[in-house]
Amino acid sequence: MKIGALTGGGDCPGLNAVIRAVVVRGASLGHEIVGYRDGWRGPLEDDRFDLTPDRVEGILATGGTILGSSRTNPLAEDGGIDRIGENMAAAGIDGLIAIGGEDTLGVARALTDVGIKVIGVPKTIDNDLGATDYTFGFDTAVNIAMEATDRLRTTGESHHRAMIVEVMGRHAGWIAFHTGMAAGADVILIPEREFDVDEVCRHVENRFAAGHAPIVVAAEGAMPIGGFPETADDSTDAFGHVRLGGVAAWLEREVKERTGRDARATVLGHIQRGGSPTAFDRVLATRCGLHAVAAASEGNWGTMAALKGTGIEMVTLAEAVDELKTVPSSLYAEAEVFFG
Ligand code: F6P
């Protein structure tokens, strides 16, 4: 069989581990693996190259993706889906392994609906895909953000400042929640729950009163009650997402004004997505790749490799993109015990 592989959406540590697993296992099963460049742009423009076990030697531990990525959306292009089908047929590609988050997998599902064979592998540092317990990339992002927050704590203590850390997470606060829990944050702000800025300032003052530098971890999608108009930029990508950012800077100003104490904002941004994956992410990514190739060999198209407990199971692509997984309020309450 000839299988095309692509990585779409925001990159994350572990993508290369999946590609390696798909290529090595694919070759041992007698399949030819072709890499499409830059997400859905590859099959749309028929931009591809052959992937052999030699080509993927040594990439397991590397960040990024050797295939490149983009947020190209074939559903937003006139005749995009048909073009992908025609290009695949002309190149003799039997099916695709699409490694991506909700947007990439949403396209995969639409392709499946018109009879194009696709298998999904879930990735996102945001960990917000409903059908899988964890996505690779998330553990690495949390470890990076935790280490950064630990470092911010020591400089905050020296200068008696409130330190506000902005992490990624548009609609789901998983990175903020886990980072805050792991780094012992005094306040964690997530998109799932609008925050009261007075309450945040009360926690900040309590920590100062106890002789400590307060740490606030905020997801980029966190909003004050009644809404927060600031975005880094009003432009949207091909999937209609606004570029977020600005909550930490806004909070820095509010904390200074309302408490009279010094504060500093740090936006971790794409540092969370770069570099080598953790052991957990390397193993999860590798296992997802192996199961995706196995599913292709069995003709189990239209499915996605999902982590359920400690096992990998194939779920339908429809199930995979059905619902965004957000932080439940009962879990958030566990972190709230440590606020202020
Ligand atoms: O989808 C993953 C993600 O890292 C989000 O957490 C973040 O909002 C977004 O991508 C950033 O996208 P870009 O790389 O296009 O700036």
Side-chain angles (χ1 to χ4, degrees):
M1 204 182 322
K2 202 166 173 184
I3 303 170
L6 63 91
T7 52
D11 72 341
C12 80
L15 288 170
N16 283 333
V18 183
I19 297 163
R20 167 182 173 266
V22 166
V23 172
V24 171
R25 185 62 183 140
S28 74
L29 290 169
H31 303 312
E32 264 179 78
I33 310 291
V34 165
Y36 278 113
R37 293 191 179 89
D38 303 338
W40 292 114
R41 189 192 68 74
L44 263 176
E45 297 176 11
D46 198 27
D47 188 359
R48 60 190 153 82
F49 62 104
D50 292 338
L51 282 172
T52 56
D54 265 5
R55 179 65 189 83
V56 298
E57 187 68 47
I59 67 169
L60 168 66
T62 60
T65 160
I66 61 162
L67 300 180
S69 193
S70 75
R71 294 193 190 273
T72 302
N73 182 4
L75 305 178
E77 305 230 352
D78 214 16
I81 296 286
D82 293 342
R83 220 180 320 147
I84 288 178
E86 287 155 18
N87 286 341
M88 283 174 64
I93 309 276
D94 298 288
L96 297 173
I97 293 181
I99 311 160
E102 49 161 336
D103 296 329
T104 305
L105 297 175
V107 174
R109 190 204 167 165
L111 291 174
T112 299
D113 289 345
V114 298
I116 296 174
K117 294 171 175 168
V118 193
I119 285 167
V121 172
K123 71 86 228 180
T124 164
I125 64 162
D126 296 342
N127 196 40
D128 58 1
L129 278 170
T132 185
D133 288 352
Y134 283 98
T135 48
F136 66 83
F138 171 65
D139 185 63
T140 307
V142 168
N143 275 287
I144 292 168
M146 177 194 71
E147 200 203 317
T149 307
D150 288 346
R151 290 173 187 277
L152 290 168
R153 182 187 293 283
T154 64
T155 171
E157 294 280 357
S158 305
H159 292 268
H160 317 292
R161 286 171 174 152
M163 303 305 282
I164 302 151
V165 193
E166 183 175 312
V167 297
M168 282 187 169
R170 285 174 170 140
H171 310 295
W174 290 108
I175 297 178
F177 178 79
H178 279 246
T179 300
M181 270 280 221
D186 303 303
V187 184
I188 301 171
L189 304 175
I190 58 174
E192 291 85 340
R193 159 107 58 112
E194 288 191 343
F195 64 87
D196 175 353
V197 66
D198 288 326
E199 198 185 325
V200 172
C201 289
R202 267 200 304 281
H203 290 318
V204 163
E205 280 173 328
N206 285 345
R207 284 304 282 170
F208 275 128
H212 296 289
I215 299 283
V216 179
V217 176
E220 62 185 341
M223 303 247 181
I225 291 168
F228 172 68
E230 261 172 276
T231 56
D233 159 348
D234 281 342
S235 58
T236 53
D237 64 23
F239 287 91
H241 303 302
V242 167
R243 203 175 143 215
L244 294 174
V247 65
W250 183 81
L251 269 172
E252 179 190 300
R253 286 195 299 275
E254 293 296 313
V255 166
K256 280 178 178 167
E257 262 174 47
R258 290 167 189 250
T259 68
R261 305 299 299 246
D262 205 5
R264 290 288 187 276
T266 301
V267 180
L268 295 184
H270 294 80
I271 285 171
Q272 295 159 93
R273 285 204 333 225
S276 183
T278 58
F280 180 89
D281 283 339
R282 292 182 201 187
V283 173
L284 177 57
T286 299
R287 294 180 72 202
C288 285
L290 293 176
H291 282 261
V293 176
S297 299
E298 290 157 12
N300 193 10
W301 301 100
T303 59
M304 181 192 85
L307 180 69
K308 302 276 190 189
T310 55
I312 307 283
E313 292 173 19
M314 300 309 290
V315 298
T316 64
L317 277 172
E319 202 185 320
V321 296
D322 189 36
E323 217 182 312
L324 213 64
K325 183 176 67 193
T326 53
V327 178
S329 50
S330 57
L331 189 60
Y332 186 71
E334 293 178 13
E336 276 182 307
V337 171
F338 302 96
F339 286 9

